Amino acid sequence: MTQHSQGFFSRLMSSPEGRLAVICVAVFVLMAALSPDRFLSTQNMTSMAFQFPEFAILALAMTVTMLTGGIDLSVVGIANLTAIVAAMILTGATGSGDGTLLVMGAMAASLAVGMVAGLFNGLLVAKLGLPPILATLGTGLIFTGFAIALTGGSAIMGLPPAVAWIGNSTTFGIPTPLVLFVLLAVATSLVLTRTSFGVKLRMYGANPLAARFAAMDIDGMLIRVYVASGALAAIAGMVVMSRANSAKADYGSSYLLLAVLIAVLGGVNPYGGYGKIIGVVLAVLSMQFLSSGLNMIGVSNFARELIWGSLLIFVMIVNTRAARTR
Amino acid sequence: MKIDWTRNETLVALVILAFCLLGAASDPSFLSIATLTDLLRGGIVLGIFAVAAMLVLISGGIDVSFTAVAAFTMYVTAVVLNAAMPWMPWWGALGFGMVVGACLGAINGILIAGFGLPTLIVTLGTLSIFRGFMLTFIGQRQITTLPPGMREFGRMMLIRGENADGSFYNLHAAFLVTLLVVALTWFILQRTMLGRQIYAIGGSVESARRIGINVRGVQFFVYVYVGILAGLAGVIHSSMARVANPFDLVGLELSVIAAVVLGGARLAGGHGTLTGTVLGVTLIVLVRNSLVVLGIPATWQSVTIGALILLGTGLPAWQAKRAASRSAA
């Protein structure tokens, strides 16, 4: 019996995701032990479930692009631009009904804007051959710039109450943002592992030259990746808009580096080719447990940054050590 | 001299020239000493940052933590000098900043050269660590009474004068520091073995290792040097602003890298010139300071900078792609 469990544990510790699962559970247990009645309360659990989906969805977008060896630095710009477009539609046309239909329309419009923005990124990367980090840095500034120009830099408020459904309600007793994130994570994972598109995507990330010689339609694949990233960013934008009940050009600017950090912590290779959605989910959970738990024992917000950074570097050192000894 | 039209430097220089011509055409007072001193002042801290970012790009890495190093250094320098060493003269304050910056840079260096971790991830992590450490353990409030040495440095001007319309212009002495940094870095890159080794590592780590270059040593030097420059820039920034605000500077890192890449440095490593970097910084500062002169509202500033980045990196990338497909056919 002990033999068996030891084998299981060493197997668990041999993959980055396994190690992350151990860290995630350890953080949870530690935080629960430090303040059991508050950390384990239903109230804390629901508040955490409302908090993390917005940046977790951005991390999914980042993961998809990183698998191809790229990166999408424009996700926050896209999220804010799409939220502002949606908010303008909503505030410009309120007055009739409770606005459910209108919210649907605005969501569709923002999703379309996100996908067009992603298409623009994809064309720059695939057709013009720009390095993704620079292409998306540039377009990120442009999207944010459009958002500033549309609003003059101020927040759009006074959204119809139906908007709250996306970010502030529960579906079957589960917070809607969490439901949304789970659906998106499962869908992304299925696309990455069960479709030829997903396999090609990782193949290209692992070895672009080999993928080219295998006569893959690389341009089409890259364009679809960035469109998907844009769509995910737009959904994250909707969640942020709904939770803040407003839209502004500079919301969530700290989410950009956080999304990169989560993807990398989740074991995604930023040079492409390797990464699992389960790793990203575990990384998100670890981060959220850490910040909520630390918050409860009275640690400042800034200490979280310190601990996130340390966690990232610690995990990277362990991962490279493990890769070398194997 | 033959002009190479395919180089980024030429492109950026032409855009700067066009910008100035348009500016002069729409507002005759654009071509004045005041515009020039504004431009030079805007380039002091950004210029030092850009040199640091360029050096890392040449060595084949990317550093996003230098703004956090600068913010950390300026805040710690202000706190420590105020509390323990108020007698420190201005050059002592700068020196102290360089030492603090070097220590932080050495942390990056150990993680990158020692543990062999990817540069983007390490500096992303240390960005959070430096900033989080400063805000948690050192302080979050801005310091408005700087130590005497930094105040003294903040008042040092090279030129001072009055415009025709009665407004004042001046150029801060820190501009000389930026010039010195550019000159020293030029010397290291072009006239020393170490500089050539930095280019060699950026070109190909494996080749560099096989011809006997101490890759780890050179990498370690690069990150310590970048830390020194960032620390220096931080102390200069707060001396000029006459306040040490711990929330300043962080967030600039990607714009700085964009300016450097605009000037022709490549993310893949091995390429980059100081001329290009200086031109890139000039263009970014010019756009920031004087977009309004061209009749473009300030709200469109980031769209303009974004478009310039796409243009500056897109044109060479597109040319390279065309050349590659032509040679393949």
Side-chain angles (χ1 to χ4, degrees), chain A residues 126-130 133-135 137-138 141-142 145-146 149 257 260 264 270-271 302-303 305-306 309-310 312-313 316-317 320 324, chain B residues 111 115 117-118 121-122 124-125 127-129 131-132 135-137 140 254 258 261 267 300 302-303 306-307 309-310 313-314 317-318 321:
Chain A
K127 296 289 180 193
L128 283 179
L130 257 74
I133 189 168
L134 294 173
L137 176 65
L141 283 171
I142 292 178
F146 278 141
L257 290 184
V260 177
V264 173
Y271 301 107
F302 305 114
E305 257 186 78
L306 171 66
S310 316
L312 175 70
I313 290 187
M316 280 310 292
I317 291 176
T320 38
R324 259 179 226 161
Chain B
L111 289 169
F115 287 91
L117 300 182
I121 298 172
V122 167
L124 199 62
L127 169 75
S128 305
I129 294 176
R131 198 175 123 91
L135 293 171
T136 312
F137 296 110
Q140 301 156 16
L254 293 180
V261 172
L267 288 169
W300 290 92
S302 67
V303 175
I309 292 172
L310 293 187
T313 53
W318 183 65
K321 196 162 172 151

Short mmCIF file of all heavy atoms in Angstrom, two decimals, chain A residues 126-130 133-135 137-138 141-142 145-146 149 257 260 264 270-271 302-303 305-306 309-310 312-313 316-317 320 324, chain B residues 111 115 117-118 121-122 124-125 127-129 131-132 135-137 140 254 258 261 267 300 302-303 306-307 309-310 313-314 317-318 321:
data_model
loop_
_atom_site.label_atom_id
_atom_site.label_comp_id
_atom_site.label_asym_id
_atom_site.label_seq_id
_atom_site.Cartn_x
_atom_site.Cartn_y
_atom_site.Cartn_z
N ALA A 126 0.74 36.90 -38.75
CA ALA A 126 0.84 35.86 -39.78
C ALA A 126 1.27 36.42 -41.13
O ALA A 126 2.20 35.90 -41.76
CB ALA A 126 -0.49 35.13 -39.90
N LYS A 127 0.60 37.47 -41.58
CA LYS A 127 0.85 37.94 -42.95
C LYS A 127 2.05 38.88 -43.05
O LYS A 127 2.78 38.86 -44.01
CB LYS A 127 -0.40 38.66 -43.48
CG LYS A 127 -1.62 37.77 -43.61
CD LYS A 127 -1.45 36.78 -44.76
CE LYS A 127 -2.67 35.89 -44.87
NZ LYS A 127 -2.43 34.72 -45.75
N LEU A 128 2.23 39.74 -42.03
CA LEU A 128 3.35 40.68 -42.09
C LEU A 128 4.59 40.15 -41.39
O LEU A 128 5.66 40.70 -41.54
CB LEU A 128 2.94 42.02 -41.49
CG LEU A 128 2.07 42.92 -42.37
CD1 LEU A 128 1.72 44.19 -41.64
CD2 LEU A 128 2.78 43.25 -43.67
N GLY A 129 4.42 39.09 -40.60
CA GLY A 129 5.57 38.50 -39.93
C GLY A 129 6.13 39.32 -38.79
O GLY A 129 7.31 39.25 -38.47
N LEU A 130 5.29 40.13 -38.15
CA LEU A 130 5.76 40.89 -36.98
C LEU A 130 5.95 39.96 -35.79
O LEU A 130 5.16 39.04 -35.61
CB LEU A 130 4.72 41.95 -36.60
CG LEU A 130 5.02 43.38 -37.00
CD1 LEU A 130 4.81 43.54 -38.48
CD2 LEU A 130 4.11 44.33 -36.25
N ILE A 133 5.11 39.81 -29.79
CA ILE A 133 5.22 40.67 -28.61
C ILE A 133 5.13 42.14 -29.01
O ILE A 133 4.50 42.95 -28.34
CB ILE A 133 6.53 40.36 -27.83
CG1 ILE A 133 6.57 41.06 -26.50
CG2 ILE A 133 7.75 40.67 -28.61
CD1 ILE A 133 7.67 40.58 -25.59
N LEU A 134 5.72 42.49 -30.17
CA LEU A 134 5.67 43.88 -30.62
C LEU A 134 4.36 44.22 -31.29
O LEU A 134 3.80 45.29 -31.09
CB LEU A 134 6.82 44.16 -31.59
CG LEU A 134 8.18 44.07 -30.96
CD1 LEU A 134 9.26 44.18 -32.00
CD2 LEU A 134 8.33 45.17 -29.93
N ALA A 135 3.86 43.29 -32.11
CA ALA A 135 2.59 43.53 -32.79
C ALA A 135 1.50 43.81 -31.77
O ALA A 135 0.75 44.78 -31.88
CB ALA A 135 2.22 42.33 -33.66
N LEU A 137 1.88 44.57 -28.58
CA LEU A 137 2.18 45.76 -27.77
C LEU A 137 1.65 47.00 -28.49
O LEU A 137 0.99 47.86 -27.90
CB LEU A 137 3.70 45.88 -27.57
CG LEU A 137 4.21 47.11 -26.83
CD1 LEU A 137 3.73 47.10 -25.42
CD2 LEU A 137 5.73 47.14 -26.86
N GLY A 138 1.92 47.07 -29.80
CA GLY A 138 1.45 48.20 -30.61
C GLY A 138 -0.06 48.26 -30.69
O GLY A 138 -0.67 49.29 -30.44
N LEU A 141 -1.74 49.36 -27.48
CA LEU A 141 -1.78 50.81 -27.32
C LEU A 141 -2.87 51.42 -28.19
O LEU A 141 -3.57 52.35 -27.78
CB LEU A 141 -0.41 51.41 -27.71
CG LEU A 141 0.70 51.26 -26.69
CD1 LEU A 141 2.03 51.67 -27.28
CD2 LEU A 141 0.40 52.11 -25.47
N ILE A 142 -3.02 50.88 -29.41
CA ILE A 142 -4.03 51.43 -30.32
C ILE A 142 -5.44 51.19 -29.78
O ILE A 142 -6.27 52.11 -29.75
CB ILE A 142 -3.86 50.82 -31.73
CG1 ILE A 142 -2.56 51.33 -32.34
CG2 ILE A 142 -5.05 51.17 -32.62
CD1 ILE A 142 -2.24 50.78 -33.69
N GLY A 145 -6.00 53.33 -26.94
CA GLY A 145 -6.14 54.70 -27.46
C GLY A 145 -7.53 54.96 -27.99
O GLY A 145 -8.13 56.00 -27.73
N PHE A 146 -8.08 53.99 -28.74
CA PHE A 146 -9.45 54.12 -29.24
C PHE A 146 -10.42 54.24 -28.07
O PHE A 146 -11.34 55.05 -28.10
CB PHE A 146 -9.85 52.92 -30.10
CG PHE A 146 -9.37 53.02 -31.51
CD1 PHE A 146 -8.89 51.90 -32.18
CD2 PHE A 146 -9.39 54.23 -32.19
CE1 PHE A 146 -8.44 51.99 -33.49
CE2 PHE A 146 -8.95 54.33 -33.50
CZ PHE A 146 -8.46 53.20 -34.15
N ALA A 149 -10.16 57.65 -26.72
CA ALA A 149 -10.74 58.62 -27.63
C ALA A 149 -12.27 58.54 -27.63
O ALA A 149 -12.96 59.56 -27.74
CB ALA A 149 -10.20 58.40 -29.04
N LEU A 257 0.20 41.79 -16.82
CA LEU A 257 1.33 41.01 -16.35
C LEU A 257 0.85 39.83 -15.51
O LEU A 257 1.44 38.76 -15.52
CB LEU A 257 2.30 41.88 -15.56
CG LEU A 257 3.06 42.89 -16.42
CD1 LEU A 257 4.07 43.66 -15.60
CD2 LEU A 257 3.75 42.22 -17.59
N VAL A 260 0.05 36.96 -17.83
CA VAL A 260 1.28 36.31 -18.29
C VAL A 260 1.84 35.43 -17.17
O VAL A 260 2.21 34.26 -17.38
CB VAL A 260 2.35 37.35 -18.71
CG1 VAL A 260 3.63 36.68 -19.12
CG2 VAL A 260 1.82 38.23 -19.82
N VAL A 264 2.45 31.32 -17.20
CA VAL A 264 3.78 30.74 -17.02
C VAL A 264 3.83 29.87 -15.77
O VAL A 264 4.38 28.76 -15.76
CB VAL A 264 4.84 31.85 -16.96
CG1 VAL A 264 6.19 31.28 -16.60
CG2 VAL A 264 4.91 32.57 -18.28
N PRO A 270 6.55 29.68 -22.46
CA PRO A 270 6.34 30.91 -23.23
C PRO A 270 6.99 30.88 -24.61
O PRO A 270 6.70 31.72 -25.44
CB PRO A 270 6.94 32.01 -22.35
CG PRO A 270 7.84 31.30 -21.42
CD PRO A 270 7.32 29.92 -21.25
N TYR A 271 7.85 29.89 -24.86
CA TYR A 271 8.44 29.79 -26.20
C TYR A 271 7.65 28.83 -27.08
O TYR A 271 8.04 28.54 -28.20
CB TYR A 271 9.91 29.36 -26.10
CG TYR A 271 10.70 30.34 -25.28
CD1 TYR A 271 11.12 30.04 -24.00
CD2 TYR A 271 10.96 31.62 -25.79
CE1 TYR A 271 11.80 30.97 -23.23
CE2 TYR A 271 11.64 32.54 -25.03
CZ TYR A 271 12.06 32.22 -23.76
OH TYR A 271 12.71 33.15 -23.01
N PHE A 302 0.03 44.77 -1.40
CA PHE A 302 1.33 44.83 -2.07
C PHE A 302 2.17 43.61 -1.74
O PHE A 302 2.99 43.18 -2.54
CB PHE A 302 2.05 46.11 -1.68
CG PHE A 302 1.23 47.32 -1.97
CD1 PHE A 302 0.76 48.13 -0.95
CD2 PHE A 302 0.88 47.63 -3.28
CE1 PHE A 302 -0.03 49.24 -1.22
CE2 PHE A 302 0.10 48.73 -3.56
CZ PHE A 302 -0.36 49.54 -2.53
N ALA A 303 1.94 43.04 -0.55
CA ALA A 303 2.67 41.83 -0.20
C ALA A 303 2.29 40.68 -1.13
O ALA A 303 3.08 39.79 -1.39
CB ALA A 303 2.40 41.46 1.25
N GLU A 305 1.80 40.90 -4.32
CA GLU A 305 2.66 41.00 -5.49
C GLU A 305 4.00 40.33 -5.23
O GLU A 305 4.51 39.59 -6.04
CB GLU A 305 2.90 42.47 -5.82
CG GLU A 305 2.10 42.98 -6.98
CD GLU A 305 2.49 44.40 -7.33
OE1 GLU A 305 3.54 44.56 -7.97
OE2 GLU A 305 1.76 45.32 -6.95
N LEU A 306 4.53 40.64 -4.03
CA LEU A 306 5.82 40.07 -3.62
C LEU A 306 5.74 38.55 -3.61
O LEU A 306 6.63 37.86 -4.13
CB LEU A 306 6.17 40.61 -2.23
CG LEU A 306 7.36 40.01 -1.50
CD1 LEU A 306 8.63 40.33 -2.23
CD2 LEU A 306 7.44 40.56 -0.08
N GLY A 309 5.35 36.98 -7.19
CA GLY A 309 6.62 36.97 -7.90
C GLY A 309 7.54 35.87 -7.38
O GLY A 309 8.16 35.15 -8.15
N SER A 310 7.59 35.74 -6.04
CA SER A 310 8.46 34.72 -5.45
C SER A 310 7.99 33.33 -5.84
O SER A 310 8.80 32.46 -6.16
CB SER A 310 8.46 34.84 -3.93
OG SER A 310 8.57 36.17 -3.54
N LEU A 312 6.35 32.47 -8.53
CA LEU A 312 6.69 32.24 -9.94
C LEU A 312 8.13 31.77 -10.08
O LEU A 312 8.42 30.77 -10.75
CB LEU A 312 6.47 33.52 -10.74
CG LEU A 312 6.91 33.47 -12.20
CD1 LEU A 312 5.99 32.57 -12.99
CD2 LEU A 312 6.94 34.85 -12.81
N ILE A 313 9.05 32.48 -9.42
CA ILE A 313 10.46 32.14 -9.57
C ILE A 313 10.78 30.81 -8.91
O ILE A 313 11.51 29.98 -9.46
CB ILE A 313 11.34 33.29 -9.04
CG1 ILE A 313 11.19 34.45 -10.02
CG2 ILE A 313 12.79 32.87 -8.90
CD1 ILE A 313 12.06 35.61 -9.81
N MET A 316 9.63 28.09 -11.18
CA MET A 316 10.49 27.98 -12.35
C MET A 316 11.80 27.26 -11.99
O MET A 316 12.29 26.43 -12.75
CB MET A 316 10.83 29.36 -12.91
CG MET A 316 9.76 29.98 -13.75
SD MET A 316 9.14 28.88 -15.03
CE MET A 316 10.56 28.79 -16.09
N ILE A 317 12.36 27.59 -10.83
CA ILE A 317 13.61 26.94 -10.42
C ILE A 317 13.36 25.44 -10.26
O ILE A 317 14.12 24.61 -10.78
CB ILE A 317 14.15 27.54 -9.10
CG1 ILE A 317 14.63 28.97 -9.36
CG2 ILE A 317 15.29 26.71 -8.54
CD1 ILE A 317 15.09 29.70 -8.12
N THR A 320 12.93 23.76 -13.76
CA THR A 320 14.15 23.56 -14.55
C THR A 320 15.05 22.52 -13.91
O THR A 320 15.67 21.72 -14.60
CB THR A 320 14.95 24.87 -14.72
OG1 THR A 320 14.87 25.60 -13.51
CG2 THR A 320 14.42 25.71 -15.85
N ARG A 324 16.26 18.98 -15.66
CA ARG A 324 17.66 18.63 -15.83
C ARG A 324 17.98 17.24 -15.29
O ARG A 324 18.73 16.49 -15.90
CB ARG A 324 18.55 19.66 -15.14
CG ARG A 324 19.13 20.64 -16.14
CD ARG A 324 19.97 21.65 -15.44
NE ARG A 324 19.64 22.97 -15.94
CZ ARG A 324 19.93 24.08 -15.31
NH1 ARG A 324 20.52 24.05 -14.15
NH2 ARG A 324 19.62 25.24 -15.83
N LEU B 111 19.69 34.70 -11.00
CA LEU B 111 18.60 33.84 -11.46
C LEU B 111 18.77 33.47 -12.93
O LEU B 111 18.47 32.35 -13.34
CB LEU B 111 17.25 34.54 -11.24
CG LEU B 111 16.83 34.66 -9.77
CD1 LEU B 111 15.64 35.58 -9.63
CD2 LEU B 111 16.51 33.28 -9.20
N PHE B 115 20.96 30.20 -12.50
CA PHE B 115 19.99 29.12 -12.58
C PHE B 115 19.57 28.81 -14.01
O PHE B 115 18.88 27.83 -14.26
CB PHE B 115 18.75 29.45 -11.75
CG PHE B 115 18.97 29.38 -10.26
CD1 PHE B 115 19.38 30.48 -9.56
CD2 PHE B 115 18.78 28.19 -9.59
CE1 PHE B 115 19.60 30.41 -8.19
CE2 PHE B 115 18.99 28.11 -8.23
CZ PHE B 115 19.40 29.22 -7.53
N LEU B 117 17.39 30.46 -15.89
CA LEU B 117 15.96 30.62 -16.13
C LEU B 117 15.73 31.60 -17.29
O LEU B 117 16.57 32.44 -17.56
CB LEU B 117 15.27 31.16 -14.88
CG LEU B 117 15.38 30.32 -13.61
CD1 LEU B 117 14.60 30.97 -12.49
CD2 LEU B 117 14.86 28.92 -13.86
N PRO B 118 14.58 31.48 -17.98
CA PRO B 118 14.28 32.40 -19.08
C PRO B 118 14.17 33.84 -18.58
O PRO B 118 13.60 34.09 -17.52
CB PRO B 118 12.91 31.93 -19.59
CG PRO B 118 12.69 30.59 -19.01
CD PRO B 118 13.53 30.48 -17.79
N ILE B 121 10.62 35.56 -17.83
CA ILE B 121 9.94 35.08 -16.63
C ILE B 121 10.62 35.60 -15.37
O ILE B 121 9.96 36.06 -14.44
CB ILE B 121 9.90 33.55 -16.64
CG1 ILE B 121 9.11 33.10 -17.85
CG2 ILE B 121 9.30 33.02 -15.37
CD1 ILE B 121 9.16 31.63 -18.08
N VAL B 122 11.95 35.56 -15.35
CA VAL B 122 12.68 36.04 -14.18
C VAL B 122 12.35 37.50 -13.92
O VAL B 122 12.00 37.90 -12.81
CB VAL B 122 14.19 35.87 -14.36
CG1 VAL B 122 14.95 36.65 -13.31
CG2 VAL B 122 14.57 34.41 -14.29
N LEU B 124 9.90 39.31 -15.00
CA LEU B 124 8.48 39.47 -14.66
C LEU B 124 8.29 39.20 -13.17
O LEU B 124 7.58 39.93 -12.48
CB LEU B 124 7.66 38.48 -15.49
CG LEU B 124 6.18 38.71 -15.67
CD1 LEU B 124 5.96 40.01 -16.40
CD2 LEU B 124 5.58 37.57 -16.47
N GLY B 125 8.93 38.15 -12.69
CA GLY B 125 8.84 37.80 -11.28
C GLY B 125 9.50 38.85 -10.40
O GLY B 125 8.91 39.31 -9.42
N LEU B 127 10.07 41.93 -11.08
CA LEU B 127 9.28 43.16 -11.12
C LEU B 127 8.29 43.17 -9.97
O LEU B 127 8.21 44.14 -9.20
CB LEU B 127 8.54 43.26 -12.47
CG LEU B 127 7.46 44.34 -12.61
CD1 LEU B 127 8.08 45.71 -12.77
CD2 LEU B 127 6.55 44.07 -13.79
N SER B 128 7.53 42.07 -9.82
CA SER B 128 6.55 41.99 -8.73
C SER B 128 7.25 41.97 -7.38
O SER B 128 6.79 42.58 -6.42
CB SER B 128 5.72 40.72 -8.84
OG SER B 128 5.12 40.63 -10.09
N ILE B 129 8.38 41.25 -7.30
CA ILE B 129 9.06 41.10 -6.01
C ILE B 129 9.62 42.44 -5.53
O ILE B 129 9.37 42.85 -4.40
CB ILE B 129 10.19 40.05 -6.11
CG1 ILE B 129 9.59 38.66 -6.36
CG2 ILE B 129 11.04 40.05 -4.85
CD1 ILE B 129 10.60 37.57 -6.55
N ARG B 131 8.82 45.49 -6.43
CA ARG B 131 7.75 46.45 -6.16
C ARG B 131 6.99 46.07 -4.90
O ARG B 131 6.74 46.91 -4.03
CB ARG B 131 6.81 46.46 -7.36
CG ARG B 131 5.91 47.65 -7.44
CD ARG B 131 5.13 47.58 -8.74
NE ARG B 131 3.71 47.60 -8.46
CZ ARG B 131 3.01 48.73 -8.40
NH1 ARG B 131 3.61 49.87 -8.62
NH2 ARG B 131 1.73 48.70 -8.14
N GLY B 132 6.66 44.79 -4.80
CA GLY B 132 5.92 44.32 -3.62
C GLY B 132 6.73 44.52 -2.34
O GLY B 132 6.20 44.97 -1.33
N LEU B 135 6.77 48.30 -1.42
CA LEU B 135 5.50 48.83 -0.94
C LEU B 135 5.07 48.20 0.38
O LEU B 135 4.36 48.81 1.17
CB LEU B 135 4.41 48.63 -2.00
CG LEU B 135 4.61 49.45 -3.28
CD1 LEU B 135 3.63 49.04 -4.35
CD2 LEU B 135 4.48 50.94 -2.99
N THR B 136 5.50 46.95 0.63
CA THR B 136 5.10 46.28 1.86
C THR B 136 6.00 46.68 3.02
O THR B 136 5.53 47.01 4.09
CB THR B 136 5.19 44.75 1.70
OG1 THR B 136 4.56 44.40 0.49
CG2 THR B 136 4.49 44.06 2.85
N PHE B 137 7.32 46.62 2.80
CA PHE B 137 8.24 46.75 3.93
C PHE B 137 8.88 48.12 4.06
O PHE B 137 9.37 48.48 5.12
CB PHE B 137 9.33 45.69 3.84
CG PHE B 137 8.79 44.30 3.96
CD1 PHE B 137 8.79 43.45 2.87
CD2 PHE B 137 8.24 43.85 5.15
CE1 PHE B 137 8.27 42.17 2.97
CE2 PHE B 137 7.72 42.58 5.25
CZ PHE B 137 7.73 41.74 4.16
N GLN B 140 4.68 53.26 1.41
CA GLN B 140 3.79 53.51 0.28
C GLN B 140 3.54 55.00 0.10
O GLN B 140 2.94 55.40 -0.89
CB GLN B 140 2.45 52.82 0.51
CG GLN B 140 2.56 51.34 0.67
CD GLN B 140 1.39 50.77 1.44
OE1 GLN B 140 0.37 51.42 1.58
NE2 GLN B 140 1.54 49.56 1.92
N LEU B 254 7.31 48.66 -21.05
CA LEU B 254 7.03 48.22 -22.42
C LEU B 254 7.20 49.36 -23.43
O LEU B 254 7.65 49.13 -24.55
CB LEU B 254 5.62 47.61 -22.50
CG LEU B 254 5.46 46.30 -21.73
CD1 LEU B 254 4.05 45.76 -21.86
CD2 LEU B 254 6.45 45.24 -22.21
N ALA B 258 9.66 49.33 -26.57
CA ALA B 258 9.15 49.69 -27.88
C ALA B 258 10.04 50.72 -28.56
O ALA B 258 10.35 50.61 -29.75
CB ALA B 258 7.72 50.22 -27.76
N VAL B 261 13.17 49.01 -29.80
CA VAL B 261 12.94 48.16 -30.96
C VAL B 261 12.67 49.01 -32.19
O VAL B 261 13.10 48.67 -33.30
CB VAL B 261 11.77 47.20 -30.68
CG1 VAL B 261 11.38 46.44 -31.92
CG2 VAL B 261 12.14 46.23 -29.59
N LEU B 267 14.37 41.61 -30.97
CA LEU B 267 14.04 40.79 -29.80
C LEU B 267 14.80 39.49 -29.82
O LEU B 267 15.06 38.89 -28.78
CB LEU B 267 12.55 40.51 -29.77
CG LEU B 267 11.68 41.71 -29.42
CD1 LEU B 267 10.24 41.41 -29.67
CD2 LEU B 267 11.89 42.09 -27.97
N TRP B 300 -5.44 60.99 -28.61
CA TRP B 300 -5.00 60.05 -29.65
C TRP B 300 -3.53 59.70 -29.53
O TRP B 300 -2.97 59.04 -30.39
CB TRP B 300 -5.29 60.62 -31.04
CG TRP B 300 -6.74 60.64 -31.33
CD1 TRP B 300 -7.61 61.67 -31.09
CD2 TRP B 300 -7.52 59.57 -31.88
NE1 TRP B 300 -8.87 61.30 -31.46
CE2 TRP B 300 -8.86 60.03 -31.95
CE3 TRP B 300 -7.22 58.28 -32.33
CZ2 TRP B 300 -9.89 59.23 -32.44
CZ3 TRP B 300 -8.25 57.50 -32.82
CH2 TRP B 300 -9.57 57.97 -32.87
N SER B 302 -1.78 57.64 -27.57
CA SER B 302 -1.34 56.25 -27.53
C SER B 302 -1.64 55.53 -28.84
O SER B 302 -0.93 54.61 -29.23
CB SER B 302 -1.94 55.53 -26.33
OG SER B 302 -3.31 55.40 -26.46
N VAL B 303 -2.69 55.97 -29.55
CA VAL B 303 -2.94 55.39 -30.88
C VAL B 303 -1.75 55.68 -31.79
O VAL B 303 -1.27 54.80 -32.52
CB VAL B 303 -4.24 55.96 -31.50
CG1 VAL B 303 -4.42 55.45 -32.92
CG2 VAL B 303 -5.44 55.58 -30.66
N GLY B 306 1.25 53.58 -30.79
CA GLY B 306 1.00 52.21 -31.22
C GLY B 306 1.19 52.03 -32.71
O GLY B 306 1.83 51.08 -33.17
N ALA B 307 0.66 52.99 -33.48
CA ALA B 307 0.79 52.91 -34.93
C ALA B 307 2.25 53.00 -35.35
O ALA B 307 2.70 52.31 -36.27
CB ALA B 307 -0.03 54.02 -35.59
N ILE B 309 4.83 52.03 -33.60
CA ILE B 309 5.48 50.76 -33.29
C ILE B 309 5.20 49.75 -34.39
O ILE B 309 6.09 49.05 -34.88
CB ILE B 309 5.00 50.20 -31.93
CG1 ILE B 309 5.48 51.11 -30.81
CG2 ILE B 309 5.50 48.79 -31.70
CD1 ILE B 309 4.90 50.76 -29.47
N LEU B 310 3.93 49.68 -34.81
CA LEU B 310 3.57 48.72 -35.85
C LEU B 310 4.30 49.05 -37.15
O LEU B 310 4.80 48.17 -37.85
CB LEU B 310 2.06 48.73 -36.09
CG LEU B 310 1.21 48.20 -34.94
CD1 LEU B 310 -0.23 48.11 -35.36
CD2 LEU B 310 1.71 46.83 -34.50
N THR B 313 8.19 48.38 -36.78
CA THR B 313 8.59 46.97 -36.76
C THR B 313 8.01 46.22 -37.95
O THR B 313 8.55 45.23 -38.39
CB THR B 313 8.12 46.28 -35.46
OG1 THR B 313 6.73 46.51 -35.33
CG2 THR B 313 8.84 46.82 -34.27
N GLY B 314 6.89 46.73 -38.48
CA GLY B 314 6.21 46.03 -39.57
C GLY B 314 6.95 46.14 -40.88
O GLY B 314 7.09 45.17 -41.61
N ALA B 317 10.01 43.90 -40.99
CA ALA B 317 9.56 42.50 -40.96
C ALA B 317 8.98 42.10 -42.31
O ALA B 317 9.25 41.01 -42.83
CB ALA B 317 8.51 42.31 -39.87
N TRP B 318 8.22 43.02 -42.91
CA TRP B 318 7.60 42.75 -44.19
C TRP B 318 8.65 42.63 -45.29
O TRP B 318 8.62 41.75 -46.13
CB TRP B 318 6.61 43.88 -44.51
CG TRP B 318 5.85 43.69 -45.77
CD1 TRP B 318 4.94 42.72 -46.04
CD2 TRP B 318 5.93 44.50 -46.94
NE1 TRP B 318 4.45 42.87 -47.30
CE2 TRP B 318 5.04 43.96 -47.88
CE3 TRP B 318 6.68 45.65 -47.28
CZ2 TRP B 318 4.87 44.51 -49.15
CZ3 TRP B 318 6.50 46.19 -48.53
CH2 TRP B 318 5.61 45.64 -49.45
N LYS B 321 10.38 39.36 -44.94
CA LYS B 321 9.53 38.26 -45.40
C LYS B 321 9.53 38.20 -46.93
O LYS B 321 9.57 37.13 -47.52
CB LYS B 321 8.11 38.46 -44.86
CG LYS B 321 7.28 37.20 -44.94
CD LYS B 321 6.07 37.24 -44.05
CE LYS B 321 5.23 36.03 -44.35
NZ LYS B 321 4.45 35.53 -43.28
#
